[in-house]
Amino acid sequence: MDFDDTPDEAAWRAEVRSFLEKHHPSGERPRDDPDAARAWQATLYEAGFVGVAWPQQAGGRGGTPMQQAIVDQEMARLGLPALINLIGIGMCGPTVIMHGSDDQKQRYLTRLLRADDLWCQLFSEPEAGSDLAGLRTRAVRDADGGWRITGQKVWTTLAHLADFGILLTRTDPDVPKHRGLTMFVVDMKAPGVTVRPLRQMNGDAHFNEVFFDDVRIPDAERLGEPGEGWTVALTTLMSERLSLGGGGTAVGPKPEVVARHVAEHIGALTADRQVLARQQLGRGFVAALGARYTGYRQLSKLSRGEFPGPEASAGKLSGTQSARDLTDLAVRVLGDDAPIGGGPWQTAQAVMPGMAIAGGSDQVLRNIIGERVLGLPAEPRADKGVTFKETLA
Amino acid sequence: MNFDLDQEHLDLAAAAGEFLAGSASPAAARAALDDGAAARPGRAELVKSGYATITVPESAGGGGGSVLQLAVVAEQAGRVLTGPSLVSFARAAVLLDGDADRLAGLADGSLAVAVVDDSGPVLDAIGADTFLALRDGALVCGPGTVTAREPIDATRGLGDVELGQTVVLARDAGERWQRAERVGRTVLAAEGLGAAAYLLEMGVAYAKQRHAFGRAIGSYQAVKHLLVDVYVAVEQLRSLVWWAAWAADRAPGELPLAAAAAKAAAATTLEQAAETVIQVHGGIGFTWEHDAHLYWRRAKVDRFLLGDDVAAFDEVARLAMREATR
C-alpha cells in the first residue's frame, strides 16, 4: 500500500499539470458556453488527456485508470469544471466499446472523445424510473430490416445539445420485461425526435423530455442482440454509478471548499451554534473522506484489471449523503442571512435531492447492495415470469 | 498509488486471525463478565505471539514492523474481542521510543504497561504494573494503584489509577504523547473495524436464516436497508483506518486528521453496527447468551476511549478549517 505517485505517475502528473496551467481557459466556466466547452475538450483530447484509460482502438490513449484519475485530480485542483461530454465518456462510450460493432466504434468513439459529437443516455420514462425494465418505448421492425421507434423518455441529461444517444427500447412485449428489451444508438437530429427541456427545482434545465414519433433507426445502429438490451444497459448503469460515485468526489462541492466557507463564516455565529456547526462539519468531512478513500480502493482494483462490482453503488450512496450534509451546513452557517442570501450555496443545496434519485435512488441502491453484495434474499416480485404485456393489465 | 493491502498484509491478517480466534472469543468475554475471569488471550500469550509488539524495534526484541501491520492484526483482534488491547502496546511502543531497557521489557513481557490519560478510566489498567503518563509536559513512568469499578465491557481492563512514585522519562514530551495518542486512535479504530465487520456478518447471516410472515427477514427492505447502511459505514471505516495507519508510517503531516477521522468513524460505526444487529435479531439479540451484547458493550466503552466521538468530530472540523484557510 502506497499513496505516493510511482515515478511514472509523478512524471505523468507533471506533464498534465504543466499543460493545464498553460492552456486552461480563464474567466467564464467553459461549461456555460457549449461551443467553448467543446473546443476545450477537443484541445484536451489532442493533448491526450481525454479517454486516457480507453483502448487505443477506441480512440483512447490505452493508459491506466490511475493516469485518468490523475488528470481528474489536476483538473479539480485548478477548479476546472467537468468536461461537457461526461455522459458520453462515462456511460455511452463504455457501452459502445463493450457491445458495439467495429463499424460503430470506428464511427463514434473518437468523435465522442473530441466532443465533435455530444451524447446522452435515453433510459428513464415517466412510468419507468427505478423500475427501469418497465419501460414502454416500442421498437418495431420495418419492411427493410430497420426499426421504427415510438414513445417518450424523460430526465435525459444533455438531450437538448446531444448529437447521439443510447436508447433502450421494448422490442418484445410477449416475454418477461427484462428479456424483451433492445438497445440502439439513435441520431438525435433524426426526423421525429422532439426534445423539451425540463426545469429543475434549482432553476437549471439540464434534463429533458424526449419524444420519439415513428423515428427510423437502421439495424446497423443496434447495440447488442435483439432482446439483450438489459445486459447492455447494465454495462451503462455500472459505468454510471462508478462515475457518479467515483472516489466520492464526483457529487457536490469538495469538502475542502465547504470547510473554507465554514471557516470564513463560523465566527459570526453564537458559541452554541459554532459547536453545532463544527459537529456537522466533522461528520460531513469524515463521511466525505471515507467515500473518497473507498473510491481510491476501487481505483486500485481497476488498476489491477478488476472491474468493480455492485459495491461501486456504495460510493454513489455515501457520496450523495455527505454532499447533502455538507451543502446543508454551508447554507446553515450563513445564519440569519441563509433564507435570503444563500446564493450559490442554496442553489447547490437544491441539486442534492435530485442527486439522491439520479443514477439509482438511495433505496434502489440499498437493494442492489443488500442483494448482490451481502447476498440477502430479494423482495418477492409480482412481475417475475410474467410477460410485459400482462404486467400492464 | 495503490490503496489496497498487499499480499504480505493479507497473509499477516490470516495468520493473526487464526491465532487470535484460537485464543480469544466472545465466550471468554462473557466469562469475564460472569465471574471476573481475565480477558483472553491475556498479556503473556499476546506478547509471546509477537503480534502485540510488532511496532517495537527489532533491536529491543520486537517485530520492527509498521503501524499498518499492527492495524491489520488489530482488526482481527477486534473480531474476537481480544484483551488486553493492542492500543496499549502501540502507545507504549511510541512513548518508550529510545528507552532500550523498557522497550525490551515490553517486548519480553516483563513490563505490563498501561497508559494513563488525563481523564476517564485507564484502558488495560487491570493487570498492568507500569504506568505511563504526561505530567507538566513530561513523560513519567512508575507503579500505580488500580481500582476496578463496574465495567460495562470486561475485556477492556478498565480501572482508575493512582500513580505511585514516578520517574521522568522525557521532558517536553508533548509531541511524542500526541503521536502516541494518534497511533493509539488508529489501532483502536482498527479494533473497532474488526468488531463492526464481525457484527455485520452476524446480522446478515441471521437475516438470511430467520423467517417471519412466510419469508426470510433479510428480504424485507426495512431490515435489508439497516444492514446495508452498516455495510457502507464499515467499508468507509476500513478506508479511513488504512489511511490513518499509512499516515502514521509514511505521512506524519496527515496523521492528525486521519487518526481523528478514523477514531470518530469507528466510534459511530461500531455503535451503529451493534445497535442494528441487536434490532435485526429481535428478542434473542438482547439475551445474555447471545454474543451481540458483548460487542454492544465494546461499542459503548470504545466510543469514550482516547477522547469521545464528539471530541474527534470537533478535531476533524478544526483541522479541516485550518487546512482549508492556510
Side-chain angles (χ1 to χ4, degrees):
Chain A
M1 164 144 47
D2 194 348
F3 276 103
D4 295 332
D5 286 341
T6 63
D8 283 353
E9 288 165 1
W12 172 249
R13 189 184 295 280
E15 184 186 337
V16 173
R17 183 173 294 185
S18 89
F19 180 89
L20 291 178
E21 282 173 350
K22 197 148 69 182
H23 290 91
H24 83 81
S26 53
E28 286 300 291
R29 291 163 58 90
R31 179 76 189 252
D32 295 340
D33 171 0
D35 290 334
R38 283 180 185 236
W40 169 234
Q41 183 170 327
T43 305
L44 282 175
Y45 176 73
E46 298 307 334
F49 299 147
V50 182
V52 173
W54 282 26
Q56 279 173 341
Q57 307 92 292
R61 193 186 169 96
T64 66
M66 210 59 84
Q67 286 177 323
Q68 179 66 62
I70 287 170
V71 173
D72 297 344
Q73 285 170 0
E74 291 300 315
M75 300 256 300
R77 201 181 66 90
L78 290 174
L80 293 171
L83 297 179
I84 185 167
N85 214 5
L86 214 57
I87 289 171
I89 298 168
M91 302 162 208
C92 306
T95 310
V96 173
I97 291 175
M98 192 95 88
H99 301 282
S101 65
D102 288 343
D103 175 55
Q104 285 170 321
K105 292 179 197 175
Q106 198 70 40
R107 278 185 290 134
Y108 290 131
L109 294 173
T110 301
R111 292 182 55 83
L112 182 157
L113 289 175
R114 282 180 48 93
D116 294 337
D117 301 325
L118 300 184
W119 284 65
C120 64
Q121 173 197 336
L122 299 142
F123 282 18
S124 294
E125 297 187 6
E127 293 188 67
S130 289
D131 184 8
L132 176 60
L135 61 86
R136 297 177 183 199
T137 292
R138 289 292 308 272
V140 180
R141 286 260 191 198
D142 64 12
D144 44 352
W147 302 79
R148 293 279 174 180
I149 317 292
T150 303
Q152 182 197 345
K153 295 290 175 178
V154 72
W155 316 126
T156 314
T157 306
L158 218 66
H160 57 302
L161 297 176
D163 301 286
F164 294 97
I166 54 173
L167 172 66
L168 192 58
T169 65
R170 182 163 309 281
T171 42
D172 187 355
D174 296 319
V175 293
K177 64 183 186 180
H178 289 84
R179 285 197 235 135
L181 304 174
T182 304
M183 186 82 87
F184 297 95
V185 174
V186 60
D187 179 351
M188 293 296 286
K189 310 288 187 241
V193 179
T194 309
V195 177
R196 260 200 336 233
L198 281 169
R199 202 151 173 243
Q200 295 148 241
M201 57 185 270
N202 70 340
D204 284 355
H206 291 311
F207 292 119
N208 300 271
E209 294 179 297
V210 183
F211 299 87
F212 294 91
D213 182 13
D214 202 27
V215 174
R216 186 169 189 284
I217 299 184
D219 192 52
E221 298 300 352
R222 192 164 32 78
L223 277 178
E225 295 303 311
E228 296 294 323
W230 186 249
T231 311
V232 181
L234 287 181
T235 308
T236 317
L237 294 175
M238 280 319 299
S239 305
E240 176 173 34
R241 274 163 208 151
L242 200 60
S243 68
L244 284 176
T249 53
V251 178
K254 286 180 68 176
E256 287 83 359
V257 174
V258 176
R260 183 163 63 232
H261 168 75
V262 173
E264 282 160 5
H265 290 86
I266 196 167
L269 302 179
T270 57
D272 54 347
R273 295 272 155 176
Q274 289 189 15
V275 173
L276 283 176
R278 286 201 306 272
Q279 286 299 305
Q280 201 176 347
L281 177 61
R283 282 172 192 274
F285 213 81
V286 167
L289 292 174
R292 177 180 297 173
Y293 290 114
T294 304
Y296 286 177
R297 281 166 59 200
Q298 281 168 7
L299 194 56
S300 301
K301 250 177 120 171
L302 272 176
S303 298
R304 286 196 307 267
E306 294 172 42
F307 191 72
E311 73 274 12
S313 297
K316 198 256 161 177
L317 188 59
S318 59
T320 308
Q321 279 170 355
S322 64
R324 180 194 288 236
D325 292 346
L326 286 169
T327 47
D328 180 63
L329 169 66
V331 172
R332 184 173 278 276
V333 292
L334 297 172
D336 291 345
D337 276 349
I340 52 171
W345 286 110
Q346 209 126 56
T347 309
Q349 186 182 29
V351 175
M352 289 303 143
M355 287 309 307
I357 294 167
S361 74
D362 287 353
Q363 289 68 31
V364 164
L365 295 182
R366 285 189 177 96
N367 283 351
I368 290 171
I369 296 167
E371 288 161 25
R372 301 196 36 222
V373 180
L374 299 181
L376 292 167
E379 190 102 358
R381 288 172 49 169
D383 59 1
K384 215 156 193 180
V386 175
T387 66
F388 178 70
K389 220 157 52 184
E390 290 170 282
T391 68
L392 296 179
Chain B
M1 185 196 82
N2 171 33
F3 187 33
D4 237 338
L5 295 184
D6 302 330
Q7 191 57 44
E8 167 225 350
H9 297 123
L10 298 174
D11 294 344
L12 175 64
E18 199 174 320
F19 164 75
L20 290 164
S23 59
S25 70
R30 187 183 292 100
L33 271 179
D34 266 332
D35 51 23
R40 301 278 300 143
R43 275 177 199 277
E45 206 179 330
L46 208 47
V47 167
K48 208 173 84 190
S49 74
Y51 291 122
T53 52
I54 283 178
T55 56
V56 173
E58 277 179 277
S59 56
S66 64
V67 175
L68 180 58
Q69 287 175 325
L70 186 62
V72 163
V73 173
E75 180 183 343
Q76 300 301 317
R79 290 179 65 87
V80 290
L81 301 176
T82 294
S85 174
L86 295 173
V87 170
S88 298
F89 292 95
R91 289 179 82 183
V94 174
L95 292 173
L96 295 174
D97 184 28
D99 187 334
D101 289 349
R102 286 190 177 83
L103 275 179
L106 184 69
D108 68 19
S110 57
L111 219 57
V113 178
V115 181
V116 181
D117 288 305
D118 286 341
S119 61
V122 175
L123 176 65
D124 296 323
I126 310 283
D129 53 33
T130 304
F131 298 89
L132 295 166
L134 192 68
R135 292 287 178 267
D136 302 321
L139 175 66
V140 302
C141 178
T145 311
V146 178
T147 313
R149 288 190 291 169
E150 296 171 50
I152 314 172
D153 172 9
T155 65
R156 283 313 199 186
L158 298 177
D160 296 322
V161 174
E162 179 99 20
L163 279 182
Q165 198 64 40
T166 59
V167 293
V168 173
L169 297 187
R171 303 199 180 280
D172 292 330
E175 256 179 55
R176 186 189 295 199
W177 184 266
Q178 266 193 330
R179 174 171 168 81
E181 195 170 75
R182 285 167 181 153
V183 169
R185 279 179 155 191
T186 303
V187 175
L188 180 70
E191 288 182 344
L193 167 64
Y198 181 74
L199 277 164
L200 176 63
E201 290 167 22
M202 192 193 282
V204 167
Y206 189 73
K208 287 180 188 175
Q209 161 220 321
R210 168 76 179 182
H211 281 60
F213 306 104
R215 53 185 167 116
I217 60 170
S219 67
Y220 293 100
Q221 292 190 356
V223 174
K224 185 177 290 168
H225 291 191
L226 278 177
L227 290 166
V228 167
D229 286 344
V230 173
Y231 163 80
V232 172
V234 166
E235 287 309 309
Q236 298 214 35
L237 172 59
R238 187 181 302 283
S239 307
L240 292 171
V241 165
W242 291 357
W243 173 43
W246 174 83
D249 292 323
R250 300 283 303 278
E254 291 181 40
L255 181 59
L257 179 62
K263 154 72 201 182
T268 52
T269 300
L270 180 51
E271 192 167 23
Q272 180 190 359
E275 298 283 358
T276 297
V277 165
I278 291 178
Q279 182 71 25
V280 167
H281 277 77
I284 193 75
F286 58 82
T287 61
W288 190 262
E289 286 71 26
H290 200 274
D291 289 348
H293 75 100
L294 302 165
Y295 289 84
W296 182 91
R297 289 168 188 280
R298 253 292 155 103
K300 296 299 176 190
V301 165
D302 276 14
R303 65 186 171 144
F304 289 110
L305 298 178
L306 294 163
D308 69 358
D309 47 342
V310 175
F313 282 123
D314 197 81
E315 193 175 331
V316 167
R318 289 175 189 276
L319 290 167
M321 286 191 286
R322 191 193 304 162
E323 189 68 28
T325 50
R326 257 216 315 225

